[in-house]
Amino acid sequence: MSNPKPSAPATGAANTLWGGRFAGGPAEIMERINASIDFDKRLYAEDIAGSTAHCAMLVRQNILSPEDGEAIAAGLGQILAEIEGGRFAFRRDREDIHMNVEARLAELIGPNAGRLHTARSRNDQIATDIRLWLRAAIDRAERHMQALQAALIEQAERHAATVMPGYTHLQIAQPVTFGHHLLAYVEMIGRDRGRLADCRKRLNECPLGAAALAGTSFPIDRAMTAEALGFDRPTANSLDGVSDRDFCLEFMAAAAITGMHLSRLAEEIILWCSDGFRFIALSDAFTTGSSIMPQKRNPDAS
Amino acid sequence: MSNPKPSAPATGAANTLWGGRFAGGPAEIMERINASIDFDKRLYAEDIAGSTAHCAMLVRQNILSPEDGEAIAAGLGQILAEIEGGRFAFRRDREDIHMNVEARLAELIGPNAGRLHTARSRNDQIATDIRLWLRAAIDRAERHMQALQAALIEQAERHAATVMPGYTHLQIAQPVTFGHHLLAYVEMIGRDRGRLADCRKRLNECPLGAAALAGTSFPIDRAMTAEALGFDRPTANSLDGVSDRDFCLEFMAAAAITGMHLSRLAEEIILWCSDGFRFIALSDAFTTGSSIMPQKRNPDAS
Amino acid sequence: MSNPKPSAPATGAANTLWGGRFAGGPAEIMERINASIDFDKRLYAEDIAGSTAHCAMLVRQNILSPEDGEAIAAGLGQILAEIEGGRFAFRRDREDIHMNVEARLAELIGPNAGRLHTARSRNDQIATDIRLWLRAAIDRAERHMQALQAALIEQAERHAATVMPGYTHLQIAQPVTFGHHLLAYVEMIGRDRGRLADCRKRLNECPLGAAALAGTSFPIDRAMTAEALGFDRPTANSLDGVSDRDFCLEFMAAAAITGMHLSRLAEEIILWCSDGFRFIALSDAFTTGSSIMPQKRNPDAS
Amino acid sequence: MSNPKPSAPATGAANTLWGGRFAGGPAEIMERINASIDFDKRLYAEDIAGSTAHCAMLVRQNILSPEDGEAIAAGLGQILAEIEGGRFAFRRDREDIHMNVEARLAELIGPNAGRLHTARSRNDQIATDIRLWLRAAIDRAERHMQALQAALIEQAERHAATVMPGYTHLQIAQPVTFGHHLLAYVEMIGRDRGRLADCRKRLNECPLGAAALAGTSFPIDRAMTAEALGFDRPTANSLDGVSDRDFCLEFMAAAAITGMHLSRLAEEIILWCSDGFRFIALSDAFTTGSSIMPQKRNPDAS
């Protein structure tokens, strides 16, 4: 085999290599495939927080002049206000949240906006944004799960002596108390909270400074940006910091296990409300009716 | 145990059973949990098509007067236009797409709008809507997959004699042709199309008339609505028709397998473009640059 | 960067590149990682059937002498008897089912055993074995699922007029008949059978002759081996034939959906047997007791 | 609807309710479905350890006489030796590992063997066994993962100055060192170890004493058995202790994420060994040949 590399799909021929059959023209398809703004716009607050911290660090390290720093910080603040006020026009041709913010910044303060991108890349930006976003999601879930435990404990105390049948295989087995049964869920939710807390601790390292993958030769201060954003420390390895998303998988696993516990509780509530059991009754505020059967009260909509 | 049913969580006590700890008040939380309009609004066209077919059937069966039928059909047409024109206000307190449409219909034509809901339930409505929506999604995917096969075949014919190395374990093994390699994907996509076609055939039965779960005593004509909506036949069993979503799982499985094939193709394109291989080059229209490394041309954004 | 390839991990140094820390020595670890015989030995019947068909084809195509063909066929028959009689010693150092069979064949008939491997590779062998094995698994499942439908129909006919409550959200909604309820499962299992039948049809192509990936220059007759093994046709593309396992994914998806239906049925049986419902009773032959609670009869063991 | 419960499937009729179509007879099928010994026999060491600890506790609490305790402990020791010596006949009609051990114990020491089951159930036994088994599995994995990190660090130190290309999208991006690249995996494996350690800590509670679900009225000492088996504490809630398997899900998630990291490393090794890269070479001890292409050296078998 004299030439192992196919000669035909060379530069010229390749120009229409994959697009020939698609009527809309290659560039338009590519833009639609490539753009992530439709879903990563939800990272706006984290992206702007990261840029603000990066900007302050660049100034303190004398990489950015105080004047540029002030203009950039003010511009970022204005963009945040525009987005939260519903006055920001996200543009797909600006691809992602990073470019949407930067391009708008250039419109607001002129070409010096570009200096914000010194010593960083979209790779370490997105790795930082996702961690910040997920950390906040964990904190929100934590509050709700704690409230659920408190509600369960309150009911358990009230029903510490309320006897009910314990089941195996849905056959009556041994008497337990309603309070004891509810406290089983307090244990489960407790472990779920532990899993989320462990996930939070593990992801709470700052990738900023890893740049595209190999770091930067600018004299940045990674500890400063990490601290400003509430991270415990900078990530130790730049390749790892920008390329791994294991924390997303860990979060999804912890959330799925939590969902399993909540589904089990919901199923028990449905069962306890059913005609064959009638152990509890939900208030009208938590039942719904049926559009075809007016006599019904459902634990959920039919 | 003389009384296996705990007496305490009775009607009165139960009124605040689960909601006591949640500050926003039970009803507001329940509305947010219960409402599906935020995601089922995408079913608007299918829901209106189903209602229109149901209305025409009710008229022909003399369950609905021609006058009511005309008013309802006209109202549904106006609602469709409002939604597609961006002038429809979806309301969460109207819970789902069915109630949003019906409530708007009542605003437009008055209380006779309620007669549209004769002999049906939201249970058979949603089962119908999802099938129609998924069927259209399959038909869209089918067109794109056929176009992909055509593009692969066109390239394969051009490179029927272009020799390239065949690999196992990414070690050069035996010579093949580029055309032969591409035709492997034509086979894979062909099976993917077959899976989607099988899924489509299996889901293409109409649940309308199953009502909540047990059918209806009105003299409806299920064959007529099934035919009007392009279904092959009505579902045979009402409980099965409203309660099973196996077709969604089948679709997701078929889509996931297709995604695996497309991912494999994409990975090969990335590999073939890489410095160590350089078998192909993508046109500028399908490459992107880097925000930090101006010398780069990527098969994707960095 | 004058030399992009790291010079240090060259041949010499590389000899202990990954193994230095593992006490047992590299070769032993590699054998354990690499060997698949512990799980692919279950493919013995399919592997021998494939070899027998391949051997007969080689003889008819004059690639193998009739004498060699007879010796090989007889040897394969003896190996099959040894395995089924529990007298075959599977050896991990012979790696997989293919090598275990071939090495034993060489012991039985001498070095001419090697001629069986003419015009094939372990790659097309394993792709064939898995299809044959899965096809048989589908056929077994098909028989059981048909029996389940028949049992359900028998009960449904007996209880065509037995009224029971129909539920939504486990709240009594509308009366149905027990027969009607059971027929819902007949529909579900019917679709499950359809999915398995579609999967069977799609996988029923013979990869033999694809060899490692690029086919063979021997004048083999792929239609003959395909037919002998009950395949509908040979696979059309050799790269696709040896490298894709989409049919395994399709089977697993169909089996998982079937499992979901069976789980739903099992859950209903448990519910119908429970104290709160008591709609049905299982015979003693299908209930179990408890090791700690002698009064219990379970739908399952506790 | 005067009688919501179907009358026909009553005791008599129900005797052949589900089994009528299955030729082998109900009892035989039930035994095959119900028996778990084929897979839970791997828990033998944990099951015997749990029984030994339970026995010692019963003696110290004066629930069991010292003589019975000694006989039981000696019998359990003999059963362990029989199993590890391959001289134990596991029987499917004894259902599971617990009954296989107990029935053998009765053969060895007579009917007093039954006293071992005082104040416990198979429900808390299996919940304990699985935790012990998984804990040991984590400890094994931990040792291997630590060894992998050490091997990676050793190579990283050797190649601290070996320059290699860093890639994004498999396009050469920026120079890195081979050592730096390897240390990215040290970080990943470090987090994987953290996940397993967190999982171990969370599962390390002892369900013994929860019995079937509601505990026991015998004056047992749960702290004693927990400590004897190396648990940090007894589980706090008996219903939770016997019914939840969230720790299995957590382990599987952690193992899957680890597998993703190892797969990424393996893919890079394959890539670095490939013709287009040739950054590293594996020693003969870690490569395999091909049955059809004698010139090949594979990172894996073909």
Side-chain angles (χ1 to χ4, degrees), chain B residues 132-170:
Chain B
L132 289 172
W133 190 90
L134 214 45
R135 195 178 69 186
I138 289 173
D139 291 343
R140 273 197 309 278
E142 162 68 15
R143 285 194 298 277
H144 290 303
M145 290 161 77
Q146 196 173 357
L148 175 58
Q149 283 186 312
L152 289 164
I153 289 170
E154 189 181 303
Q155 289 294 327
E157 284 172 348
R158 198 180 301 175
H159 296 290
T162 306
V163 176
M164 72 176 287
Y167 293 83
T168 66
H169 319 287
L170 226 50

Side-chain angles (χ1 to χ4, degrees), chain A residues 168-174 267 270-271 273-278 292-293 295-302, chain C residues 168-174 267 270-271 273-277 292-293 295-302:
Chain A
T168 66
H169 318 287
L170 226 50
Q171 298 292 316
I172 292 180
Q174 294 176 319
E267 173 70 9
I270 292 171
L271 197 66
C273 285
S274 78
D275 183 60
F277 291 81
R278 291 217 182 284
I292 196 173
M293 297 166 290
Q295 85 284 6
K296 287 195 71 202
R297 274 173 89 251
N298 291 328
D300 191 4
S302 81
Chain C
T168 66
H169 319 286
L170 225 50
Q171 298 291 315
I172 293 180
Q174 295 175 318
E267 174 69 11
I270 291 172
L271 198 67
C273 287
S274 76
D275 184 60
F277 291 81
I292 196 173
M293 296 167 291
Q295 85 283 6
K296 287 195 69 202
R297 275 174 88 249
N298 292 328
D300 191 4
S302 80

Side-chain angles (χ1 to χ4, degrees), chain A residues 228-283:
Chain A
L229 295 166
F231 287 111
D232 294 331
R233 70 191 71 81
T235 54
N237 183 285
S238 64
L239 288 163
D240 174 54
V242 295
S243 69
D244 203 12
R245 296 290 186 271
D246 59 351
F247 55 89
C248 296
L249 296 177
E250 181 176 354
F251 173 79
M252 288 190 288
I257 295 172
T258 302
M260 181 268 287
H261 286 146
L262 296 178
S263 170
R264 179 177 165 185
L265 176 56
E267 173 70 9
E268 293 220 275
I269 292 174
I270 292 171
L271 197 66
W272 293 338
C273 285
S274 78
D275 183 60
F277 291 81
R278 291 217 182 284
F279 291 175
I280 65 170
L282 295 185
S283 78

Side-chain angles (χ1 to χ4, degrees), chain D residues 261-292:
Chain D
H261 286 146
L262 296 178
S263 170
R264 178 177 167 186
L265 176 56
E267 174 70 11
E268 292 220 276
I269 293 174
I270 291 172
L271 197 67
W272 292 339
C273 285
S274 77
D275 185 58
F277 291 80
R278 292 215 180 286
F279 291 176
I280 66 169
L282 296 184
S283 78
D284 289 345
F286 283 94
T287 50
T288 63
S290 161
S291 59
I292 196 172

